[in-house]
């Protein structure tokens, strides 16, 4: 490491500086005690150095550390070292959803699967009284195996000028659901939604029509979702419809392929028989000649 970055933080040996995030300086580090690679966020002074935010943030971090879900990046430890406060979390290889989309639509079926995993993560967190507060495509990492991992649950909002979790006018659960609706919209179209936006299903024919009302309801049009679990259930229903439609199409096409394959197979057998007969005649003429 260079002089501007530490060699160690607490009991962790720093491997590399990964950049900055909403929660400060980010490092990849090694915990030799248990033999695992972790990610460490060193909090900025605006959070760690201000008693008005430090203690409430640490309380929120302890609630976040209690979460355990396959689609949530686990928070292993909350460390304090002098004036330094740091978070030790699960190191998740992969790429952010923001980079994965990169202004281009994802395959709709893949987008629905990722949205289901994110909704499941939010539902689990909400059941424990933890909301994300600043969910977007940068807060989600897609692993090399294609699964979503939500980062900074209950913490990212503290890095905003006015933390959403402290605003009495904001329902954090509804805010998370609306944010997920916007994330799904961006996965399907490549662009974040504008005010009153609807999915351009007529233009992008690959987008299943059934997903449009789900996204609209999640974003906040009409009757809103009361829970992330209800949103996940509707997304699973859409996925089932899409899969059933695909299987039906495959079943309709399959019979039309079988006669052609049978004809080709018969033609090959006939050609082999004819060749065998010709070979036999040639052998016979040679022998009697």
């Amino acid at each position: 490491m260079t002089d501007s970055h530490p060699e160690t933080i607490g009991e962790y040996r720093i491997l590399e500086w990964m950049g900055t995030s909403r929660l400060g300086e980010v490092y990849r580090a090694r915990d030799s005690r248990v033999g695992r690679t972790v990610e460490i966020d060193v909090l900025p002074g605006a959070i760690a150095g201000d008693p008005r935010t430090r203690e409430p943030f640490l309380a929120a971090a302890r609630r976040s550390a209690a979460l355990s879900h396959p689609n949530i990046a686990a928070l292993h430890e909350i460390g304090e070292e002098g004036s330094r406060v740091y978070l030790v979390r699960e190191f998740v290889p992969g790429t952010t959803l923001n980079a994965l989309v990169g202004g281009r639509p994802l395959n709709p079926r893949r987008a629905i699967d990722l949205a289901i995993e994110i909704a499941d993560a939010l539902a689990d967190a909400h059941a424990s009284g933890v909301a994300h507060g600043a969910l977007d495509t940068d807060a989600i990492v897609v692993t090399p195996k294609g699964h979503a991992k939500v980062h900074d649950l209950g913490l990212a909002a503290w890095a905003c000028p006015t933390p959403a979790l402290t605003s009495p006018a904001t329902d954090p659960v509804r805010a998370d659901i609306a944010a997920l609706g916007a994330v799904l919209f961006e996965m399907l179209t490549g662009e974040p939604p504008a005010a009153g936006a609807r999915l351009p299903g007529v233009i992008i024919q690959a987008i299943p029509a059934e997903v449009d009302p789900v996204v609209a309801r999640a974003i906040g049009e009409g009757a809103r979702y009361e829970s992330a679990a209800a949103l996940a259930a509707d997304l699973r229903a859409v996925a089932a419809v899409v899969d059933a439609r695909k299987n039906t199409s495959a079943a309709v096409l399959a019979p039309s392929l079988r006669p052609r394959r049978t004809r080709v197979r018969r033609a090959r057998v006939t050609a082999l028989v004819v060749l065998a007969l010709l070979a036999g005649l040639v052998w016979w003429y040679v022998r009697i000649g």
Side-chain angles (χ1 to χ4, degrees):
M1 300 297 295
T2 65
D3 293 338
S4 60
H5 298 293
E7 295 287 339
T8 61
I9 295 176
E11 299 294 330
Y12 302 90
R13 180 169 59 87
I14 302 303
L15 300 177
E16 66 172 330
W17 176 69
M18 298 175 62
T20 58
S21 73
R22 286 178 290 199
L23 291 178
E25 300 288 327
V26 184
Y27 299 91
R28 186 170 65 91
R30 184 73 175 172
D31 184 351
S32 58
R33 297 168 299 179
V34 294
R36 69 182 172 196
T37 300
V38 297
E39 178 183 313
I40 297 180
D41 295 344
V42 178
L43 301 181
I47 296 176
D50 186 346
R52 294 172 299 177
T53 57
R54 179 183 176 116
E55 293 308 316
F57 178 89
L58 292 177
R62 286 189 284 271
R63 290 192 295 271
S64 181
L67 300 175
S68 178
H69 189 276
N71 299 115
I72 296 175
L75 178 56
H76 298 310
E77 182 183 342
I78 305 155
E80 298 184 64
E81 192 176 54
S83 61
R84 177 187 289 162
V85 177
Y86 58 91
L87 306 177
V88 181
R89 66 176 76 249
E90 173 187 4
F91 175 73
V92 181
T95 182
T96 66
L97 186 55
N98 183 39
L100 185 66
V101 173
R104 301 177 301 276
L106 298 184
N107 175 283
R109 189 63 181 81
R110 186 184 188 194
I112 292 170
D113 280 341
L114 289 172
I116 290 171
E117 292 186 341
I118 299 164
D120 284 343
L122 292 177
D124 186 81
H126 293 166
S128 298
V130 178
H132 193 285
L135 184 71
D136 58 17
T137 53
D138 276 322
I140 301 157
V141 171
V142 179
T143 70
K145 292 186 177 181
H147 296 293
K149 284 273 193 178
V150 181
H151 281 245
D152 303 333
L153 265 155
L155 303 175
W158 289 89
C160 302
T162 304
L165 296 179
T166 65
S167 172
T170 301
D171 180 340
V173 170
R174 291 279 184 87
D176 278 356
I177 294 171
L180 176 52
V183 166
L184 178 54
F185 186 101
E186 187 169 348
M187 285 194 287
L188 291 168
T189 66
E191 299 291 339
R198 299 298 295 270
L199 288 173
V202 175
I203 300 173
I204 305 176
Q205 297 295 337
I207 297 178
E210 293 82 4
V211 79
D212 187 17
V214 175
V215 174
R217 185 178 172 190
I219 291 174
E221 296 182 15
R224 299 185 178 191
Y225 283 105
E226 295 292 332
S227 69
L231 172 56
D234 278 1
L235 288 171
R236 284 188 168 90
V238 170
V241 170
V242 173
D243 291 344
R245 185 181 297 137
K246 181 179 179 180
N247 293 336
T248 300
S249 299
V252 169
L253 290 173
S256 66
L257 296 175
R258 292 191 189 107
R260 180 178 181 274
R261 291 172 180 170
T262 302
R263 289 195 298 270
V264 170
R265 191 177 298 111
R266 288 175 179 172
R268 289 174 178 171
V269 172
T270 301
L272 290 173
V273 171
V274 170
L275 288 173
L277 289 173
L278 289 174
L281 287 173
V282 170
W283 176 85
W284 185 75
Y285 278 118
V286 169
R287 184 174 182 182
I288 66 174

